[in-house]
Amino acid sequence: MDKNIRLAGITYESLVNGPGMRRVYFTQGCIHNCPGCQNPTTHSMNGGEDRNMDALIDDLRDNPMLRGVTFSGGDPFEQADKCTYMAEKIRNLHLNIWCYTGYTYEEILENKDNKKGWKEFLNNIDVLVDGVFIKEQMQEGLKFRGSANQRIIDVQKSLSEGKVVEMDY
């Protein structure tokens, strides 16, 4: 496997992409093209730059303040196999994993067996913020999401219970 992932950028310490101090990887590539997207430069599959995944994971060890990692974008599911590789290693560091995606949880479940890496990536995510950004559904005070249609889902509980389990934030 190629040990590079295409990233649009990294936020090394974030308090707004999930609870606690987090490292945020903005993956490159998104097919949703949501009007009003805050990261439109991440849409092209050819933008950004290749980064060595092992070096990114090693770098996480240098910040004891980190409580988790967030995959954002772009859409991380466009590079699910690469995100899976990273998520499996990140789990060994005892950091929780959040992921933002324009796909719904249900779309991911429907496609998990025919899209490369989707099942494995989903199995390594703690919290999924799902659904496209809808500018008309922006609301003041929404925590950890851009529009009211997006859900904050406890992935592991949802998988074990066989239904969507939303988290209250």
Side-chain angles (χ1 to χ4, degrees):
M1 171 194 224
D2 173 22
K3 293 287 185 86
N4 288 317
I5 186 169
R6 187 159 284 277
L7 295 180
I10 300 171
T11 299
Y12 289 88
E13 295 179 346
S14 171
L15 294 170
V16 297
N17 294 282
M21 184 73 68
R22 311 186 70 75
R23 178 76 39 91
V24 183
Y25 298 113
F26 293 92
T27 60
Q28 186 68 43
C30 182
I31 65 166
H32 307 293
N33 297 307
C34 303
C37 174
Q38 70 175 10
N39 299 324
T41 58
T42 66
H43 294 182
S44 167
M45 299 295 181
N46 301 315
E49 64 180 356
D50 284 333
R51 299 291 301 265
N52 180 276
M53 294 185 286
D54 289 329
L56 294 171
I57 293 159
D58 285 344
D59 191 49
L60 292 169
R61 293 180 177 91
D62 294 338
N63 189 338
M65 299 294 291
L66 291 177
R67 294 294 167 252
V69 169
T70 300
F71 290 93
S72 191
D75 194 314
F77 276 85
E78 303 303 340
Q79 295 186 70
D81 58 328
K82 307 291 181 127
C83 292
T84 298
Y85 176 84
M86 290 183 67
E88 288 173 347
K89 306 275 187 206
I90 290 165
R91 280 202 161 304
N92 293 332
L93 300 176
H94 306 291
L95 297 171
N96 71 19
I97 299 171
W98 278 47
C99 178
Y100 285 80
T101 180
Y103 296 102
T104 63
Y105 180 77
E106 293 80 3
E107 288 172 317
I108 294 167
L109 286 182
E110 287 170 21
N111 291 287
K112 68 182 173 53
D113 294 323
N114 56 28
K115 297 271 191 170
K116 185 177 180 182
W118 280 32
K119 180 179 183 180
E120 296 80 8
F121 187 34
L122 186 66
N123 288 338
N124 281 284
I125 296 170
D126 295 302
V127 177
L128 183 76
V129 181
D130 79 333
V132 295
F133 169 74
I134 300 174
K135 192 174 184 177
E136 297 76 27
Q137 292 192 31
M138 282 179 62
Q139 293 177 9
E140 193 70 34
L142 286 178
K143 196 167 185 184
F144 303 132
R145 55 201 174 121
S147 57
N149 64 297
Q150 296 171 316
R151 301 174 294 180
I152 301 172
I153 298 171
D154 182 324
V155 174
Q156 298 310 311
K157 196 177 253 190
S158 297
L159 289 171
S160 70
E161 293 184 15
K163 65 178 185 178
V164 173
V165 178
E166 291 188 57
M167 301 175 74
D168 236 353
Y169 277 105

